[in-house]
Amino acid sequence: SSGINAEWPLRPGCKATEAAVRKAGIAQLYGIAGDTNSTGDEQKKLDVLANELFVNLLKSSYQTCAMVSEENEKMIEVPVAKHGRYIVCFDPLDGSSNIDCLVSIGSIFGIYKRESDGPVSTEDCLLPGNKLVAAGYCVFGTACMMVLSTGNGVNGFTLDPSIGEFILTASNMTIPSKGKIYSTNEGNAQYLDEKLQKYLYDCKFPKAGKPKAARYVGSMVADVHRTICYGGVFMYPANSTAANGKLRLLYECNPMSYIVEQAGGKAVTGRGQERVLDVVPTKLHERCPIFLGSSEDIDVILSYLNE
């Protein structure tokens, strides 16, 4: 069975987070909460609020036995009396550095079915993305949209504020096989592998045809959502200052890679032909380099990297 049962409590979580995001300026939820999260980012007030919403809703759903959140250093265990079959890994509010300037942000989640019996341990959560039973993200932009896959394609649901429900507005979402956009933080170009620098140069100065368009929001949800809609590539590669890039495997790279593959695209690490979904994590907040998007464009990047 799919993880659709565990996805159910995430919907009110996304609705409540959307409401908080819309009210943030008025309710003075902008700014820093005065702490840092498990990966060293400064926690914003909205981050903390979104995390509490997701944790509490998932705990009380009777669907989960454990959770992994970007905001919590250790695995969150659900009381045994409320145990379900699923493990949910999530980033409650991705792109939070963009909160204060009103740029699109979002929530990301991946759902696994627990494979062992007995007390839940951290090892139960260290599963590769190819074992996901469902994944999704919710983008809080000009509209609020939840994009979801349970292993049978990708569907998009837009929140209708007049009735407070998600309505199916984009069924069987597919990513174009080739796109005209590349998306990465080119401010880091000096730290990149020379082969990747050559690829980026050729995007801007192609031997034939028009150059690619550069688009980079800095919120993974917004950048990946645009990539699925319009095609092209999004990347956060390894570089000389970050051997595994910046993005976290369990609750950023895996869910997004799962959705992109379900939409007909590709998601790779840049290490040979390795898929992101085949990486076996060794720790909860492990980072992973990522290149995802249109299949033909990813093949081109791999041809540069594997020269």
Side-chain angles (χ1 to χ4, degrees):
S1 110
S2 75
I4 198 72
N5 296 336
E7 174 269 326
W8 174 248
L10 291 161
R11 278 185 243 175
C14 287
K15 287 181 200 172
T17 304
E18 152 78 2
V21 167
R22 296 282 172 235
K23 280 194 301 202
I26 302 157
Q28 297 184 318
L29 290 171
Y30 290 147
I32 292 164
D35 209 348
T36 57
N37 65 16
S38 61
T39 48
D41 298 334
E42 286 184 322
Q43 278 185 311
K44 307 279 182 168
K45 293 171 189 172
L46 267 176
D47 279 355
V48 179
L49 178 65
N51 192 49
E52 287 174 0
L53 282 167
F54 280 108
V55 170
N56 292 337
L57 284 161
L58 286 165
K59 269 186 181 175
S60 60
S61 70
Y62 291 84
Q63 297 291 344
T64 61
C65 55
M67 292 169 263
V68 177
S69 168
E70 184 190 16
E71 305 299 329
N72 295 72
E73 194 173 339
K74 295 179 178 174
M75 173 192 81
I76 304 159
E77 192 170 351
V78 177
V80 176
K82 294 184 176 181
H83 263 201
R85 295 176 295 172
Y86 297 104
I87 293 165
V88 184
C89 302
F90 58 91
D91 183 347
L93 207 58
D94 176 75
S96 52
S97 62
N98 282 322
I99 288 171
D100 296 5
C101 64
L102 308 185
V103 169
S104 294
I105 51 180
S107 302
I108 310 172
F109 56 88
I111 301 169
Y112 295 92
K113 199 169 182 181
R114 192 183 170 199
E115 296 187 332
S116 65
D117 296 316
V120 187
S121 68
T122 299
E123 282 63 42
D124 289 320
C125 304
L126 297 175
L127 296 169
N130 56 32
K131 294 193 173 176
L132 281 162
V133 293
Y137 61 83
C138 195
V139 58
F140 310 119
T142 49
C144 174
M145 185 180 218
M146 179 182 275
V147 176
L148 181 68
S149 176
T150 57
N152 190 25
V154 180
N155 292 295
F157 303 83
T158 303
L159 183 64
D160 181 342
S162 65
I163 58 170
E165 286 297 340
F166 282 104
I167 309 297
L168 178 64
T169 51
S171 57
N172 296 318
M173 294 171 71
T174 53
I175 183 169
S177 60
K178 191 175 182 183
K180 298 173 182 173
I181 294 171
Y182 74 101
S183 181
T184 189
N185 181 358
E186 282 204 79
N188 288 332
Q190 64 172 316
Y191 305 125
L192 295 177
D193 180 278
E194 283 182 5
K195 294 173 182 176
L196 202 50
Q197 288 186 11
K198 184 175 188 305
Y199 168 77
L200 293 173
Y201 180 86
D202 289 349
C203 284
K204 292 172 285 198
F205 301 95
K207 293 182 178 70
K210 289 184 176 179
K212 288 187 179 291
R215 299 283 186 274
Y216 187 69
V217 177
S219 290
M220 188 188 191
V221 171
D223 282 315
V224 172
H225 186 66
R226 182 200 58 247
T227 303
I228 291 171
C229 293
Y230 298 160
V233 291
F234 165 81
M235 62 185 110
Y236 207 111
N239 62 50
S240 61
T241 64
N244 289 308
K246 179 188 169 191
L247 300 174
R248 272 64 58 131
L249 179 62
L250 278 177
Y251 42 80
E252 290 175 328
C253 297
N254 274 344
M256 290 307 203
S257 298
Y258 182 84
I259 292 164
V260 165
E261 284 198 5
Q262 284 289 323
K266 290 185 177 180
V268 297
T269 63
R271 300 182 289 228
Q273 300 289 322
E274 182 182 45
R275 292 163 71 218
V276 171
L277 295 182
D278 290 335
V279 178
V280 180
T282 56
K283 51 183 192 281
L284 294 179
H285 301 288
E286 185 169 321
R287 298 175 193 267
C288 182
I290 189 167
F291 302 80
L292 61 75
S294 299
S295 57
E296 288 181 36
D297 292 329
I298 294 297
D299 288 343
V300 169
I301 290 176
L302 288 175
S303 72
Y304 277 78
L305 294 177
N306 296 325
E307 265 180 1

